[in-house]
Amino acid sequence: MIDRLRAWGNSYTRRGRYSPVGIAFHWIMAALVLFQIGWGFWTDWMMPGGDKVAAYQVHSAAGLPVLLLAVGRIGWRILITDPYNDADTQGVQTQIAHVTAMLFYLTFFTLPLSGWMMWSAIAPPGPLYLAGVVPWPQLPFASLDPRIAFVILDLAEDVHTASVILLLLLIPAHVGAALKHHFWDRHDVLRGMLPEIPDWQDDRQGARHTPSPPGPRRESEAG
């Protein structure tokens, strides 16, 4: 089963494309991260009260899936090799891209884990639910000395804030690099991360469809 799954995934990567599973991981996580950043800032600006607590519950419910998706995405990347594309031939730029990817993965863990710690450290405002549906346990901080719990809370807040700042730097750099590869360098990087379209126009291979033969010209066209 694993061999068949690996063969299926590698059938895409051999053509310089990411597998459909890899593409789904990328775009679902991108949507969740962008939502979390916007929702997190909006929640922080809210006045204390029941609405703020409810907003934090939504924030936690959407943040926990990021942690599970990050684990799943790493497992998938171990199982299925990444495609070799134009971005892998850029020397220093390629090394910077690899470091950027590792920093993204770092935030995918530090943000939900620090948020989980914050929720569990001091007087949790309510139960945690994965995606708002599946119950999620609290970390065992309730029995700790309050002073120790406050230290954990303070540390978790610092990690959470630093991770958000790092994401705010990484996202525009990542998007800008992808657009540069696609529009300026005419590389195949962005194309490999988009859903495959059978009639896609590939500049390196020419049109994949057969153009219809020209019809008879009208008198106005013939002059």
Side-chain angles (χ1 to χ4, degrees), residues 29 31 43 54 84 104-105 108-109 128 134 145-146 148 171 179 186:
M29 292 182 71
T43 302
Y84 186 84
F104 265 117
Y105 277 102
F108 296 156
F109 285 94
L128 282 172
V134 181
D145 184 285
I148 298 176
I171 291 173
L179 295 177
R186 300 295 182 180

mmCIF file with all atom_site columns, all heavy atoms in Angstrom, residues 29 31 43 54 84 104-105 108-109 128 134 145-146 148 171 179 186:
data_model
loop_
_atom_site.group_PDB
_atom_site.id
_atom_site.type_symbol
_atom_site.label_atom_id
_atom_site.label_alt_id
_atom_site.label_comp_id
_atom_site.label_asym_id
_atom_site.label_entity_id
_atom_site.label_seq_id
_atom_site.pdbx_PDB_ins_code
_atom_site.Cartn_x
_atom_site.Cartn_y
_atom_site.Cartn_z
_atom_site.occupancy
_atom_site.B_iso_or_equiv
_atom_site.pdbx_formal_charge
_atom_site.auth_seq_id
_atom_site.auth_comp_id
_atom_site.auth_asym_id
_atom_site.auth_atom_id
_atom_site.pdbx_PDB_model_num
ATOM 1   N N   . MET A 1 29  ? -3.287  25.011 4.754   1.00 0.00 ? 29  MET A N   1
ATOM 2   C CA  . MET A 1 29  ? -2.521  25.622 5.838   1.00 0.00 ? 29  MET A CA  1
ATOM 3   C C   . MET A 1 29  ? -2.333  27.115 5.598   1.00 0.00 ? 29  MET A C   1
ATOM 4   O O   . MET A 1 29  ? -2.378  27.922 6.541   1.00 0.00 ? 29  MET A O   1
ATOM 5   C CB  . MET A 1 29  ? -1.175  24.922 5.991   1.00 0.00 ? 29  MET A CB  1
ATOM 6   C CG  . MET A 1 29  ? -1.283  23.493 6.492   1.00 0.00 ? 29  MET A CG  1
ATOM 7   S SD  . MET A 1 29  ? 0.320   22.700 6.733   1.00 0.00 ? 29  MET A SD  1
ATOM 8   C CE  . MET A 1 29  ? 0.904   23.583 8.189   1.00 0.00 ? 29  MET A CE  1
ATOM 9   N N   . ALA A 1 31  ? -4.409  29.116 4.067   1.00 0.00 ? 31  ALA A N   1
ATOM 10  C CA  . ALA A 1 31  ? -5.678  29.772 4.396   1.00 0.00 ? 31  ALA A CA  1
ATOM 11  C C   . ALA A 1 31  ? -5.878  29.860 5.906   1.00 0.00 ? 31  ALA A C   1
ATOM 12  O O   . ALA A 1 31  ? -6.315  30.894 6.432   1.00 0.00 ? 31  ALA A O   1
ATOM 13  C CB  . ALA A 1 31  ? -6.835  29.011 3.747   1.00 0.00 ? 31  ALA A CB  1
ATOM 14  N N   . THR A 1 43  ? -9.182  39.888 17.567  1.00 0.00 ? 43  THR A N   1
ATOM 15  C CA  . THR A 1 43  ? -9.545  39.461 18.913  1.00 0.00 ? 43  THR A CA  1
ATOM 16  C C   . THR A 1 43  ? -8.814  40.279 19.969  1.00 0.00 ? 43  THR A C   1
ATOM 17  O O   . THR A 1 43  ? -9.385  40.659 20.996  1.00 0.00 ? 43  THR A O   1
ATOM 18  C CB  . THR A 1 43  ? -9.238  37.964 19.096  1.00 0.00 ? 43  THR A CB  1
ATOM 19  O OG1 . THR A 1 43  ? -9.953  37.203 18.104  1.00 0.00 ? 43  THR A OG1 1
ATOM 20  C CG2 . THR A 1 43  ? -9.648  37.486 20.474  1.00 0.00 ? 43  THR A CG2 1
ATOM 21  N N   . ALA A 1 54  ? -15.322 34.194 23.353  1.00 0.00 ? 54  ALA A N   1
ATOM 22  C CA  . ALA A 1 54  ? -15.814 33.392 22.228  1.00 0.00 ? 54  ALA A CA  1
ATOM 23  C C   . ALA A 1 54  ? -14.881 33.509 21.024  1.00 0.00 ? 54  ALA A C   1
ATOM 24  O O   . ALA A 1 54  ? -14.642 32.522 20.314  1.00 0.00 ? 54  ALA A O   1
ATOM 25  C CB  . ALA A 1 54  ? -17.226 33.836 21.858  1.00 0.00 ? 54  ALA A CB  1
ATOM 26  N N   . TYR A 1 84  ? 11.865  18.400 -8.131  1.00 0.00 ? 84  TYR A N   1
ATOM 27  C CA  . TYR A 1 84  ? 13.050  19.195 -8.445  1.00 0.00 ? 84  TYR A CA  1
ATOM 28  C C   . TYR A 1 84  ? 12.648  20.166 -9.539  1.00 0.00 ? 84  TYR A C   1
ATOM 29  O O   . TYR A 1 84  ? 12.295  19.770 -10.646 1.00 0.00 ? 84  TYR A O   1
ATOM 30  C CB  . TYR A 1 84  ? 14.188  18.290 -8.934  1.00 0.00 ? 84  TYR A CB  1
ATOM 31  C CG  . TYR A 1 84  ? 15.495  19.020 -9.155  1.00 0.00 ? 84  TYR A CG  1
ATOM 32  C CD1 . TYR A 1 84  ? 16.370  19.250 -8.093  1.00 0.00 ? 84  TYR A CD1 1
ATOM 33  C CD2 . TYR A 1 84  ? 15.848  19.484 -10.414 1.00 0.00 ? 84  TYR A CD2 1
ATOM 34  C CE1 . TYR A 1 84  ? 17.572  19.914 -8.285  1.00 0.00 ? 84  TYR A CE1 1
ATOM 35  C CE2 . TYR A 1 84  ? 17.045  20.158 -10.621 1.00 0.00 ? 84  TYR A CE2 1
ATOM 36  C CZ  . TYR A 1 84  ? 17.900  20.360 -9.552  1.00 0.00 ? 84  TYR A CZ  1
ATOM 37  O OH  . TYR A 1 84  ? 19.086  21.027 -9.750  1.00 0.00 ? 84  TYR A OH  1
ATOM 38  N N   . PHE A 1 104 ? 9.093   28.520 8.434   1.00 0.00 ? 104 PHE A N   1
ATOM 39  C CA  . PHE A 1 104 ? 7.639   28.359 8.374   1.00 0.00 ? 104 PHE A CA  1
ATOM 40  C C   . PHE A 1 104 ? 7.201   27.183 9.235   1.00 0.00 ? 104 PHE A C   1
ATOM 41  O O   . PHE A 1 104 ? 6.254   27.286 10.024  1.00 0.00 ? 104 PHE A O   1
ATOM 42  C CB  . PHE A 1 104 ? 7.185   28.139 6.930   1.00 0.00 ? 104 PHE A CB  1
ATOM 43  C CG  . PHE A 1 104 ? 6.747   29.388 6.219   1.00 0.00 ? 104 PHE A CG  1
ATOM 44  C CD1 . PHE A 1 104 ? 7.436   29.847 5.104   1.00 0.00 ? 104 PHE A CD1 1
ATOM 45  C CD2 . PHE A 1 104 ? 5.651   30.100 6.647   1.00 0.00 ? 104 PHE A CD2 1
ATOM 46  C CE1 . PHE A 1 104 ? 7.033   31.002 4.446   1.00 0.00 ? 104 PHE A CE1 1
ATOM 47  C CE2 . PHE A 1 104 ? 5.233   31.251 5.997   1.00 0.00 ? 104 PHE A CE2 1
ATOM 48  C CZ  . PHE A 1 104 ? 5.925   31.700 4.893   1.00 0.00 ? 104 PHE A CZ  1
ATOM 49  N N   . TYR A 1 105 ? 7.883   26.043 9.073   1.00 0.00 ? 105 TYR A N   1
ATOM 50  C CA  . TYR A 1 105 ? 7.519   24.862 9.855   1.00 0.00 ? 105 TYR A CA  1
ATOM 51  C C   . TYR A 1 105 ? 7.694   25.119 11.344  1.00 0.00 ? 105 TYR A C   1
ATOM 52  O O   . TYR A 1 105 ? 6.905   24.629 12.161  1.00 0.00 ? 105 TYR A O   1
ATOM 53  C CB  . TYR A 1 105 ? 8.354   23.659 9.425   1.00 0.00 ? 105 TYR A CB  1
ATOM 54  C CG  . TYR A 1 105 ? 7.792   22.960 8.211   1.00 0.00 ? 105 TYR A CG  1
ATOM 55  C CD1 . TYR A 1 105 ? 8.336   23.156 6.948   1.00 0.00 ? 105 TYR A CD1 1
ATOM 56  C CD2 . TYR A 1 105 ? 6.700   22.094 8.334   1.00 0.00 ? 105 TYR A CD2 1
ATOM 57  C CE1 . TYR A 1 105 ? 7.813   22.524 5.838   1.00 0.00 ? 105 TYR A CE1 1
ATOM 58  C CE2 . TYR A 1 105 ? 6.171   21.454 7.230   1.00 0.00 ? 105 TYR A CE2 1
ATOM 59  C CZ  . TYR A 1 105 ? 6.731   21.670 5.977   1.00 0.00 ? 105 TYR A CZ  1
ATOM 60  O OH  . TYR A 1 105 ? 6.205   21.046 4.889   1.00 0.00 ? 105 TYR A OH  1
ATOM 61  N N   . PHE A 1 108 ? 4.683   26.843 12.512  1.00 0.00 ? 108 PHE A N   1
ATOM 62  C CA  . PHE A 1 108 ? 3.519   25.967 12.505  1.00 0.00 ? 108 PHE A CA  1
ATOM 63  C C   . PHE A 1 108 ? 3.418   25.165 13.803  1.00 0.00 ? 108 PHE A C   1
ATOM 64  O O   . PHE A 1 108 ? 2.335   24.685 14.152  1.00 0.00 ? 108 PHE A O   1
ATOM 65  C CB  . PHE A 1 108 ? 3.568   25.006 11.320  1.00 0.00 ? 108 PHE A CB  1
ATOM 66  C CG  . PHE A 1 108 ? 3.488   25.672 9.976   1.00 0.00 ? 108 PHE A CG  1
ATOM 67  C CD1 . PHE A 1 108 ? 4.003   25.039 8.850   1.00 0.00 ? 108 PHE A CD1 1
ATOM 68  C CD2 . PHE A 1 108 ? 2.918   26.920 9.832   1.00 0.00 ? 108 PHE A CD2 1
ATOM 69  C CE1 . PHE A 1 108 ? 3.925   25.656 7.602   1.00 0.00 ? 108 PHE A CE1 1
ATOM 70  C CE2 . PHE A 1 108 ? 2.846   27.539 8.596   1.00 0.00 ? 108 PHE A CE2 1
ATOM 71  C CZ  . PHE A 1 108 ? 3.355   26.900 7.475   1.00 0.00 ? 108 PHE A CZ  1
ATOM 72  N N   . PHE A 1 109 ? 4.558   24.996 14.495  1.00 0.00 ? 109 PHE A N   1
ATOM 73  C CA  . PHE A 1 109 ? 4.546   24.302 15.778  1.00 0.00 ? 109 PHE A CA  1
ATOM 74  C C   . PHE A 1 109 ? 4.509   25.272 16.957  1.00 0.00 ? 109 PHE A C   1
ATOM 75  O O   . PHE A 1 109 ? 3.753   25.065 17.915  1.00 0.00 ? 109 PHE A O   1
ATOM 76  C CB  . PHE A 1 109 ? 5.768   23.377 15.894  1.00 0.00 ? 109 PHE A CB  1
ATOM 77  C CG  . PHE A 1 109 ? 5.657   22.133 15.079  1.00 0.00 ? 109 PHE A CG  1
ATOM 78  C CD1 . PHE A 1 109 ? 6.188   22.073 13.796  1.00 0.00 ? 109 PHE A CD1 1
ATOM 79  C CD2 . PHE A 1 109 ? 5.006   21.017 15.572  1.00 0.00 ? 109 PHE A CD2 1
ATOM 80  C CE1 . PHE A 1 109 ? 6.077   20.923 13.034  1.00 0.00 ? 109 PHE A CE1 1
ATOM 81  C CE2 . PHE A 1 109 ? 4.892   19.850 14.824  1.00 0.00 ? 109 PHE A CE2 1
ATOM 82  C CZ  . PHE A 1 109 ? 5.431   19.813 13.543  1.00 0.00 ? 109 PHE A CZ  1
ATOM 83  N N   . LEU A 1 128 ? -11.312 23.245 25.235  1.00 0.00 ? 128 LEU A N   1
ATOM 84  C CA  . LEU A 1 128 ? -10.730 23.387 23.899  1.00 0.00 ? 128 LEU A CA  1
ATOM 85  C C   . LEU A 1 128 ? -11.365 22.371 22.964  1.00 0.00 ? 128 LEU A C   1
ATOM 86  O O   . LEU A 1 128 ? -11.658 21.234 23.360  1.00 0.00 ? 128 LEU A O   1
ATOM 87  C CB  . LEU A 1 128 ? -9.215  23.147 23.941  1.00 0.00 ? 128 LEU A CB  1
ATOM 88  C CG  . LEU A 1 128 ? -8.335  24.282 24.466  1.00 0.00 ? 128 LEU A CG  1
ATOM 89  C CD1 . LEU A 1 128 ? -6.906  23.783 24.613  1.00 0.00 ? 128 LEU A CD1 1
ATOM 90  C CD2 . LEU A 1 128 ? -8.389  25.471 23.520  1.00 0.00 ? 128 LEU A CD2 1
ATOM 91  N N   . VAL A 1 134 ? -14.063 18.495 17.972  1.00 0.00 ? 134 VAL A N   1
ATOM 92  C CA  . VAL A 1 134 ? -13.444 17.391 18.712  1.00 0.00 ? 134 VAL A CA  1
ATOM 93  C C   . VAL A 1 134 ? -12.837 17.926 20.007  1.00 0.00 ? 134 VAL A C   1
ATOM 94  O O   . VAL A 1 134 ? -12.006 18.839 19.965  1.00 0.00 ? 134 VAL A O   1
ATOM 95  C CB  . VAL A 1 134 ? -12.346 16.708 17.864  1.00 0.00 ? 134 VAL A CB  1
ATOM 96  C CG1 . VAL A 1 134 ? -11.717 15.544 18.633  1.00 0.00 ? 134 VAL A CG1 1
ATOM 97  C CG2 . VAL A 1 134 ? -12.929 16.233 16.541  1.00 0.00 ? 134 VAL A CG2 1
ATOM 98  N N   . ASP A 1 145 ? 1.965   25.616 41.042  1.00 0.00 ? 145 ASP A N   1
ATOM 99  C CA  . ASP A 1 145 ? 1.973   26.838 41.838  1.00 0.00 ? 145 ASP A CA  1
ATOM 100 C C   . ASP A 1 145 ? 1.631   28.013 40.922  1.00 0.00 ? 145 ASP A C   1
ATOM 101 O O   . ASP A 1 145 ? 2.136   28.093 39.803  1.00 0.00 ? 145 ASP A O   1
ATOM 102 C CB  . ASP A 1 145 ? 3.370   27.029 42.437  1.00 0.00 ? 145 ASP A CB  1
ATOM 103 C CG  . ASP A 1 145 ? 3.434   28.235 43.365  1.00 0.00 ? 145 ASP A CG  1
ATOM 104 O OD1 . ASP A 1 145 ? 3.444   29.384 42.847  1.00 0.00 ? 145 ASP A OD1 1
ATOM 105 O OD2 . ASP A 1 145 ? 3.496   28.030 44.589  1.00 0.00 ? 145 ASP A OD2 1
ATOM 106 N N   . PRO A 1 146 ? 0.753   28.935 41.336  1.00 0.00 ? 146 PRO A N   1
ATOM 107 C CA  . PRO A 1 146 ? 0.363   30.056 40.473  1.00 0.00 ? 146 PRO A CA  1
ATOM 108 C C   . PRO A 1 146 ? 1.538   30.857 39.935  1.00 0.00 ? 146 PRO A C   1
ATOM 109 O O   . PRO A 1 146 ? 1.497   31.349 38.805  1.00 0.00 ? 146 PRO A O   1
ATOM 110 C CB  . PRO A 1 146 ? -0.526  30.906 41.386  1.00 0.00 ? 146 PRO A CB  1
ATOM 111 C CG  . PRO A 1 146 ? -1.074  29.940 42.377  1.00 0.00 ? 146 PRO A CG  1
ATOM 112 C CD  . PRO A 1 146 ? 0.017   28.937 42.614  1.00 0.00 ? 146 PRO A CD  1
ATOM 113 N N   . ILE A 1 148 ? 4.514   29.696 39.153  1.00 0.00 ? 148 ILE A N   1
ATOM 114 C CA  . ILE A 1 148 ? 5.082   28.933 38.038  1.00 0.00 ? 148 ILE A CA  1
ATOM 115 C C   . ILE A 1 148 ? 4.168   29.023 36.819  1.00 0.00 ? 148 ILE A C   1
ATOM 116 O O   . ILE A 1 148 ? 4.631   29.162 35.681  1.00 0.00 ? 148 ILE A O   1
ATOM 117 C CB  . ILE A 1 148 ? 5.292   27.456 38.452  1.00 0.00 ? 148 ILE A CB  1
ATOM 118 C CG1 . ILE A 1 148 ? 6.296   27.367 39.607  1.00 0.00 ? 148 ILE A CG1 1
ATOM 119 C CG2 . ILE A 1 148 ? 5.762   26.630 37.262  1.00 0.00 ? 148 ILE A CG2 1
ATOM 120 C CD1 . ILE A 1 148 ? 6.494   25.955 40.135  1.00 0.00 ? 148 ILE A CD1 1
ATOM 121 N N   . ILE A 1 171 ? 5.773   35.643 5.290   1.00 0.00 ? 171 ILE A N   1
ATOM 122 C CA  . ILE A 1 171 ? 4.710   35.536 4.284   1.00 0.00 ? 171 ILE A CA  1
ATOM 123 C C   . ILE A 1 171 ? 4.951   36.457 3.097   1.00 0.00 ? 171 ILE A C   1
ATOM 124 O O   . ILE A 1 171 ? 4.928   35.989 1.941   1.00 0.00 ? 171 ILE A O   1
ATOM 125 C CB  . ILE A 1 171 ? 3.339   35.789 4.931   1.00 0.00 ? 171 ILE A CB  1
ATOM 126 C CG1 . ILE A 1 171 ? 2.984   34.630 5.862   1.00 0.00 ? 171 ILE A CG1 1
ATOM 127 C CG2 . ILE A 1 171 ? 2.253   35.961 3.871   1.00 0.00 ? 171 ILE A CG2 1
ATOM 128 C CD1 . ILE A 1 171 ? 1.726   34.854 6.675   1.00 0.00 ? 171 ILE A CD1 1
ATOM 129 N N   . LEU A 1 179 ? 6.065   35.005 -6.784  1.00 0.00 ? 179 LEU A N   1
ATOM 130 C CA  . LEU A 1 179 ? 5.651   35.831 -7.923  1.00 0.00 ? 179 LEU A CA  1
ATOM 131 C C   . LEU A 1 179 ? 6.844   36.190 -8.807  1.00 0.00 ? 179 LEU A C   1
ATOM 132 O O   . LEU A 1 179 ? 6.718   36.249 -10.038 1.00 0.00 ? 179 LEU A O   1
ATOM 133 C CB  . LEU A 1 179 ? 4.955   37.094 -7.409  1.00 0.00 ? 179 LEU A CB  1
ATOM 134 C CG  . LEU A 1 179 ? 3.633   36.867 -6.671  1.00 0.00 ? 179 LEU A CG  1
ATOM 135 C CD1 . LEU A 1 179 ? 3.076   38.184 -6.153  1.00 0.00 ? 179 LEU A CD1 1
ATOM 136 C CD2 . LEU A 1 179 ? 2.617   36.176 -7.580  1.00 0.00 ? 179 LEU A CD2 1
ATOM 137 N N   . ARG A 1 186 ? 10.173  33.399 -15.095 1.00 0.00 ? 186 ARG A N   1
ATOM 138 C CA  . ARG A 1 186 ? 9.454   32.398 -15.898 1.00 0.00 ? 186 ARG A CA  1
ATOM 139 C C   . ARG A 1 186 ? 9.804   30.975 -15.461 1.00 0.00 ? 186 ARG A C   1
ATOM 140 O O   . ARG A 1 186 ? 9.967   30.073 -16.284 1.00 0.00 ? 186 ARG A O   1
ATOM 141 C CB  . ARG A 1 186 ? 9.772   32.573 -17.395 1.00 0.00 ? 186 ARG A CB  1
ATOM 142 C CG  . ARG A 1 186 ? 9.376   33.931 -17.947 1.00 0.00 ? 186 ARG A CG  1
ATOM 143 C CD  . ARG A 1 186 ? 7.877   34.123 -17.919 1.00 0.00 ? 186 ARG A CD  1
ATOM 144 N NE  . ARG A 1 186 ? 7.488   35.409 -18.496 1.00 0.00 ? 186 ARG A NE  1
ATOM 145 C CZ  . ARG A 1 186 ? 6.233   35.838 -18.593 1.00 0.00 ? 186 ARG A CZ  1
ATOM 146 N NH1 . ARG A 1 186 ? 5.259   35.073 -18.130 1.00 0.00 ? 186 ARG A NH1 1
ATOM 147 N NH2 . ARG A 1 186 ? 5.950   37.010 -19.120 1.00 0.00 ? 186 ARG A NH2 1
#
